[in-house]
Amino acid sequence: MRVLGINALFHDPAAALVMDGRIVAAAEEERFSRRKHGKRPIPFSAWELPELSARWCLEQAGLTPADLDAVAYSYDPELARPADQLGLDDPWDRLRQEYARRAPEFLAEALPGLDPGKVRFVPHHVAHAASAGQASPYPDCAVLVLDGRGECGSHLAGRYARRELAVLGTQSLPDSLGLFYEDLTQHLGFLRSSDEFKVMALASYGRPRFLDQLREYVHLEGEGGFRARPVPWSSLVPPRAAGAPWTEDHADAAASAQACLEEVLLGLVRWLHERTGEEVLTLAGGVALNCVANTRLHREGPFDRIWVQPAAGDAGTALGAALHVAHQKETVEAMPTAALGRGWSDEELREWLERAAVPYEEPADIAETVAEELARDGIVAWFQGRSEYGPRALGHRSLLAHPGRPGNLERLNAVKGREEFRPVAPMVLAERAAELFDGPLPSPYMLFVHEVAAEWRERIPAVVHVDGTARIQTVDRDAEPLVARMIEGFERRTGLPVVVNTSLNTAGRPMVDDPRDALECFGSAPVDLLALGPFAIRRKGMFA
């Protein structure tokens, strides 16, 4: 069965292709259009489809739209109700619902040859759930979905048995943990439905002194539910203008919201474990990208293991919708990797460089060349293999640096043009991680935080956050042999088994995806070396 999954209605439009139960391709539209998050989550953009990523998915498999057996759309308008009936202030939501109802026509227009009758609507939170429970390595597991909103709810709790979902609990709108966190994001001067991770980072600088007040508005309620109503944030802290300095009050608000969120999540997880008895919990929905909360669930929750969808936000519903529809006809396989996007052969990369008339080298081993540059304290743009699905740079589209230089955090944030309180992450070989970091292992998708061992904090200061933690990525040498060789080469030269990893982009831009993006980013940011496949492009050579 050939199923194309589509996420389009709210934000982070994306496409994914499942063939014969196997995930072939998945990518966010932003990587093609170069618009961060693809579009803003407003009703007037609901008609915009991930046309470029959908066409690429089909091309990757040599298919035309007419070859598809189904298109899975991650929203079911038949389940929706008008926003005012849900207690939401969204007067144009009826326009969004109309666009959703007409999605089959829009898709047929965007993908000529597609029969609109092949479009299947998949409930939004069922699509999220499938992106976790059906994509994980665990056919039997509990699943928890939390985000801003779907058709009429903001939460789903369930159980997968042999990849089959049983829904055990939901939460109706307007109660929403995702909207609770989004409201604070906006109040703190960040971009709503985009910058929630900045609030999580800022929380480490504050104290949860507003927690008691927040509990009045956000708390658990019986039978796996919760209450989460709008908080009068201005009565607690003054709003922050975009770009203005943050204050202790702002950091304390962030810390309070983070603590409140974690309390409710722990309660939901404990209830779900009581209902299922499963050993494994899988997570999806935008709230699942909160790696600090994920770690607390691992540390204090009842489940033995937690698996988080690397594209946990709305982009992941494209994959989940496709898996859900495919599973109705055939057995679906687990997600093999997050590297499901575009890639180029070495010869294709060479052609890009020749066309651009860029001076380049072809060293015997690009991993050793990069390790040498990093040991000299150079910053490296690393472009290798297929791009990642989801918001994390996982060793395919990364900026790399020396973790032993304290100033490299400030330096990288300046290179990227982002806030000074934002942390960067360490990459470490999976078999070495326990020597340096205490937390859930392995951690291949950078979705948990780990305590940095005391004896290592002064040795790798660039990757240690203000609270003594790091959001690590563990590298499996069998899955990522090139990255593993690079890390080993760096350790031979420095004695440090860790490399700084942050996403290859600048502030407000999507992560680099194709070679042109890489060359443009390299040309506009103070980066010393670009490792484009097996080729090395040096700043001194390019701008001599």
Side-chain angles (χ1 to χ4, degrees):
M1 192 174 186
R2 293 158 294 197
V3 183
L4 179 69
I6 295 289
N7 172 61
L9 199 64
F10 292 110
H11 53 83
D12 294 297
L17 182 65
V18 174
M19 291 182 62
D20 301 323
R22 183 172 60 88
I23 303 167
V24 173
E28 294 108 315
E29 187 73 1
E30 68 164 20
R31 308 296 173 84
F32 298 78
S33 69
R34 310 309 298 160
R35 295 166 59 196
K36 187 72 171 175
H37 295 295
K39 61 182 181 180
R40 293 301 297 146
I42 57 176
F44 305 101
S45 71
W47 63 272
E48 296 183 47
L49 295 167
E51 297 181 33
L52 300 175
S53 52
R55 290 172 190 158
W56 171 77
C57 285
L58 295 176
E59 291 169 3
Q60 183 75 4
L63 300 178
T64 69
D67 296 325
L68 292 168
D69 296 302
V71 174
Y73 186 86
S74 62
Y75 188 88
D76 187 347
E78 293 300 314
L79 300 179
R81 299 204 312 274
D84 57 351
Q85 294 182 17
L86 300 172
L88 298 176
D89 181 16
D90 193 355
W92 289 98
D93 189 55
R94 56 185 172 79
L95 187 61
R96 182 186 283 118
Q97 307 305 329
E98 179 62 21
Y99 285 145
R101 282 189 287 271
R102 297 183 61 181
E105 303 165 46
F106 289 132
L107 284 163
E109 180 72 20
L111 302 172
L114 174 68
D115 177 0
K118 292 182 178 179
V119 177
R120 304 283 184 268
F121 292 117
V122 178
H124 187 70
H125 289 119
V126 170
H128 267 310
S131 79
Q134 291 188 337
S136 81
Y138 308 104
D140 299 325
C141 60
V143 62
L144 186 68
V145 173
L146 289 150
D147 65 358
R149 61 173 292 194
E151 292 86 359
C152 290
S154 66
H155 158 58
L156 179 150
R159 179 182 190 176
Y160 275 96
R162 298 181 181 177
R163 306 277 185 208
E164 194 71 34
L165 175 66
V167 177
L168 302 176
T170 60
Q171 179 61 57
S172 299
L173 292 166
D175 297 296
S176 169
L177 294 176
L179 294 181
F180 158 67
Y181 217 84
E182 286 183 18
D183 286 347
L184 178 59
T185 300
Q186 184 173 353
H187 188 76
L188 293 180
F190 302 123
L191 185 61
R192 186 188 187 99
S193 298
S194 172
D195 292 347
E196 283 69 29
F197 60 95
K198 296 181 183 180
V199 176
M200 182 185 70
L202 185 60
S204 298
Y205 290 82
R207 297 177 296 110
R209 61 187 175 95
F210 303 116
L211 180 55
D212 284 342
Q213 293 97 313
L214 294 186
R215 287 172 175 149
E216 297 178 22
Y217 303 94
V218 182
H219 54 258
L220 288 168
E221 291 199 334
E223 289 304 305
F226 57 86
R227 184 179 181 87
R229 295 297 169 91
V231 174
W233 287 110
S234 293
S235 69
L236 300 178
V237 296
R240 170 184 168 269
W246 57 273
T247 68
E248 181 179 321
D249 283 345
H250 296 134
D252 288 351
S256 302
Q258 180 68 30
C260 188
L261 174 73
E262 291 171 15
E263 281 188 354
V264 176
L265 289 178
L266 270 171
L268 295 176
V269 163
R270 287 166 178 156
W271 177 87
L272 182 57
H273 186 262
E274 289 175 0
R275 291 292 303 272
T276 66
E278 293 288 351
E279 296 179 353
V280 178
L281 171 67
T282 60
L283 298 174
V287 176
L289 292 173
N290 191 307
C291 54
V292 176
N294 293 345
T295 301
R296 188 169 177 191
L297 296 182
H298 175 270
R299 186 175 64 245
E300 300 180 30
F303 288 93
D304 295 337
R305 291 184 298 280
I306 298 178
W307 189 90
V308 186
Q309 165 57 242
D314 272 11
T317 65
L319 175 60
L323 289 171
H324 178 78
V325 170
H327 177 72
Q328 295 170 3
K329 297 289 186 180
E330 60 197 2
T331 301
V332 297
E333 298 179 8
M335 185 175 181
T337 173
L340 295 168
R342 287 188 289 180
W344 285 263
S345 69
D346 292 351
E347 283 311 305
E348 287 172 329
L349 293 175
R350 188 194 301 275
E351 289 173 9
W352 274 91
L353 294 172
E354 297 288 352
R355 270 198 310 274
V358 172
Y360 64 90
E361 307 165 16
E362 189 173 358
D365 187 348
I366 191 65
E368 289 294 329
T369 298
V370 167
E372 181 67 29
E373 183 64 38
L374 293 173
R376 289 198 297 261
D377 203 24
I379 294 178
V380 174
W382 177 263
F383 183 105
Q384 304 293 335
R386 294 178 67 173
S387 60
E388 300 94 337
Y389 183 46
R392 305 285 191 252
L394 302 171
H396 292 243
R397 304 290 187 271
S398 294
L399 276 173
L400 309 177
H402 194 309
R405 306 283 192 264
N408 274 347
L409 171 59
E410 183 178 349
R411 185 180 171 200
L412 282 167
N413 281 335
V415 166
K416 291 166 68 73
R418 66 184 199 175
E419 296 83 0
E420 77 283 355
F421 61 81
R422 300 269 299 279
V424 291
M427 299 171 73
V428 60
L429 289 175
E431 66 265 28
R432 300 292 302 280
E435 300 172 33
L436 291 80
F437 306 105
D438 180 24
L441 294 173
S443 184
Y445 298 137
M446 209 184 291
L447 286 165
F448 298 90
V449 297
H450 296 68
E451 292 286 337
V452 183
E455 63 271 24
W456 281 96
R457 291 183 185 182
E458 291 186 1
R459 298 187 65 187
I460 53 172
V463 297
V464 183
H465 196 35
V466 66
D467 59 0
T469 67
R471 187 184 66 192
I472 77 170
Q473 179 199 350
T474 56
V475 175
D476 183 317
R477 65 174 61 253
D478 293 330
E480 300 285 354
L482 184 65
V483 177
R485 287 206 315 275
M486 180 267 295
I487 295 173
E488 289 175 325
F490 181 74
E491 183 178 13
R492 284 198 308 273
R493 292 166 170 85
T494 65
L496 301 177
V498 167
V499 168
V500 174
N501 173 30
T502 188
S503 56
L504 182 51
N505 66 330
T506 53
R509 301 290 304 277
M511 204 183 307
V512 159
D513 197 76
D514 75 9
R516 177 183 284 110
D517 304 333
L519 289 166
E520 288 177 352
C521 186
F522 180 65
S524 63
V527 175
D528 299 291
L529 184 145
L530 168 61
L532 190 76
F535 308 109
I537 302 94
R538 299 184 184 275
R539 175 159 293 276
K540 290 181 179 178
M542 189 170 176
F543 297 100

